[in-house]
Amino acid sequence: MKFLKSSYRVKTLYLPVLLASFVIFGCKKKEGELGEAAKAAFTVSPVTGKANTFLLQSTSTNAYRYQWDLGDGQGLSAGAANKEAYFLKKGDYNVKLYAYGQGGYDVSTAKVTVASDDLSPILNSETFKKLIAHSWKLDPNSLAPITVGTENNPAEYFGGGSLAACQADDVYTFSFVNNDFKITYNANGATFNAGNVQPNYACGADRSYSNVSFNYSTVVAGAGLATITLPGAVPTQFIGVTDVSSNNYRIISITDTEMVLRGGKANETVFQFRFVTQ
C-alpha cells in the first residue's frame, strides 16, 4: 500500500482593528491578535490485526480543532487529532485533515491505497441481511409514510399524509451482486414528481433505474444503524421522493417486515420514510 501526501494552506486575513478609548488626559490604543494559523499534517499507518484499518495521527501545529474526510463519500466529520479509519472496499482514497487554529485553518491530504475488499462485517450483519432479504415499498397503511423535518424532529415541516397512487406501487430492491452493492427502483409506470420536478406534486414519467451501485457503510453521522449513499445528485437516482436533500440515507430501524429510512444528512432537511416488505 502507498501513501502519497500533499498539503495546501488556507490563510485568513485579518484587518487590524484600532480600539480607541478617550480619557480626560488623552487616549490609549489597544491591538489584538487572533494568533497563528494552523499548519495541517498527519501520518498514516496500518493497524495490526485489523483489516483495511489505518491509524491517522495529526502532526499539525497551532491546531485546536480537527475534521476528517476519509474520501469514501461520507464527507466531513468532527474528530480528535488521532483517528482510526476503516475502509470497506479496495481502492484509492484521498484522506483529508482540516486543522483549525486561532488565526485560520489548513488542509492536508494523503492518498491511501487499500489493497482488497473487506465486506464480511457488513454481509454478516443482521441489518444488511434484513435489507436484502426482501424488496421494499412505502407503507400504504401508515398515516405518515413520509415526513419532512429536522434531525431532532423529522416531522417538523410535514407530518405525513396518504400516498399518491404512483408512490404506493414503487418498489426498491437492495442486493449484493458480483462483489458490489446494487439498488433497483421499479416505478411500475409512473413516478411521483416532488417539489423539484415539474409539474410539482403529481404523478409523472417513470423514473425507474436498475442495478445502480451504491455505498453501504456502518459508519453513521447522526441517528441510525447504517448509511446508504447513492451516486450522483437527485433526481437521477433517489429513494422515496425526488427532492430529498442529498443521496445520503440512514437506516434508523429495520425488522423482518418494516424499515424506517431517513434521507438527508444530520445537518440537512431530513425526509423520513416508513417502508414495508413487498
Side-chain angles (χ1 to χ4, degrees), residues 35-80:
E36 296 288 336
K39 175 63 178 176
F42 65 100
T43 62
V44 182
S45 56
V47 176
T48 302
K50 293 185 178 182
N52 295 6
T53 303
F54 302 84
L55 178 61
L56 312 178
Q57 293 180 292
S58 171
T59 57
S60 306
T61 56
N62 302 317
Y64 69 93
R65 185 165 67 91
Y66 307 89
Q67 287 183 305
W68 296 91
D69 184 344
L70 300 184
D72 58 358
Q74 301 301 312
L76 280 173
S77 62

Side-chain angles (χ1 to χ4, degrees), residues 64-132:
Y64 69 93
R65 185 165 67 91
Y66 307 89
Q67 287 183 305
W68 296 91
D69 184 344
L70 300 184
D72 58 358
Q74 301 301 312
L76 280 173
S77 62
N82 300 331
K83 178 182 179 66
E84 275 198 3
Y86 169 76
F87 299 91
L88 185 70
K89 303 183 71 173
K90 65 180 179 182
D92 293 330
Y93 297 86
N94 290 318
V95 178
K96 295 180 180 180
L97 168 63
Y98 289 70
Y100 297 83
Q102 295 293 339
Y105 74 94
D106 190 27
V107 185
S108 181
T109 301
K111 182 177 177 181
V112 178
T113 299
V114 179
S116 59
D117 294 338
D118 179 34
L119 303 180
S120 55
I122 283 177
L123 301 182
N124 294 328
S125 71
E126 290 302 313
T127 297
F128 187 73
K129 287 179 180 178
K130 289 180 171 65
L131 179 69
I132 65 173

Side-chain angles (χ1 to χ4, degrees), residues 4-259:
L4 303 178
K5 300 196 66 178
S6 63
S7 67
Y8 56 93
R9 189 103 179 250
V10 180
K11 295 183 178 179
T12 303
L13 300 180
Y14 296 93
L15 294 176
V17 179
L18 181 64
L19 299 178
S21 59
F22 294 93
V23 296
I24 189 168
F25 298 108
C27 65
K28 292 183 179 181
K29 181 177 70 175
K30 296 181 181 179
E31 293 183 357
E33 295 182 358
L34 293 181
E36 296 288 336
K39 175 63 178 176
F42 65 100
T43 62
V44 182
S45 56
V47 176
T48 302
K50 293 185 178 182
N52 295 6
T53 303
F54 302 84
L55 178 61
L56 312 178
Q57 293 180 292
S58 171
T59 57
S60 306
T61 56
N62 302 317
Y64 69 93
R65 185 165 67 91
Y66 307 89
Q67 287 183 305
W68 296 91
D69 184 344
L70 300 184
D72 58 358
Q74 301 301 312
L76 280 173
S77 62
N82 300 331
K83 178 182 179 66
E84 275 198 3
Y86 169 76
F87 299 91
L88 185 70
K89 303 183 71 173
K90 65 180 179 182
D92 293 330
Y93 297 86
N94 290 318
V95 178
K96 295 180 180 180
L97 168 63
Y98 289 70
Y100 297 83
Q102 295 293 339
Y105 74 94
D106 190 27
V107 185
S108 181
T109 301
K111 182 177 177 181
V112 178
T113 299
V114 179
S116 59
D117 294 338
D118 179 34
L119 303 180
S120 55
I122 283 177
L123 301 182
N124 294 328
S125 71
E126 290 302 313
T127 297
F128 187 73
K129 287 179 180 178
K130 289 180 171 65
L131 179 69
I132 65 173
H134 312 275
S135 294
W136 299 89
K137 65 179 183 179
L138 290 166
D139 186 355
N141 298 316
S142 173
L143 296 177
I146 303 173
T147 63
V148 183
T150 61
E151 181 73 5
N152 293 329
N153 183 0
E156 182 175 348
Y157 305 145
F158 175 67
S162 60
L163 298 171
C166 60
Q167 290 177 300
D169 63 358
D170 288 356
V171 178
Y172 296 85
T173 304
F174 301 87
S175 60
F176 183 72
V177 180
N178 296 327
N179 211 39
D180 198 10
F181 300 102
K182 299 288 188 180
I183 179 174
T184 293
Y185 162 56
N186 183 1
N188 283 304
T191 294
F192 183 77
N193 296 329
N196 63 338
V197 178
Q198 297 291 339
N200 295 345
Y201 310 113
C203 294
D206 189 311
R207 303 182 70 90
S208 297
Y209 55 81
S210 297
N211 292 320
V212 171
S213 296
F214 68 92
N215 182 67
Y216 184 97
S217 175
T218 55
V219 177
V220 182
L225 305 173
T227 302
I228 295 168
T229 306
L230 270 59
V234 294
T236 303
Q237 281 94 39
F238 61 91
I239 299 175
V241 292
T242 62
D243 60 348
V244 285
S245 300
S246 64
N247 261 329
N248 179 280
Y249 305 85
R250 288 168 285 147
I251 299 175
I252 302 301
S253 63
I254 190 168
T255 69
D256 291 331
T257 58
E258 296 179 329
M259 175 173 64

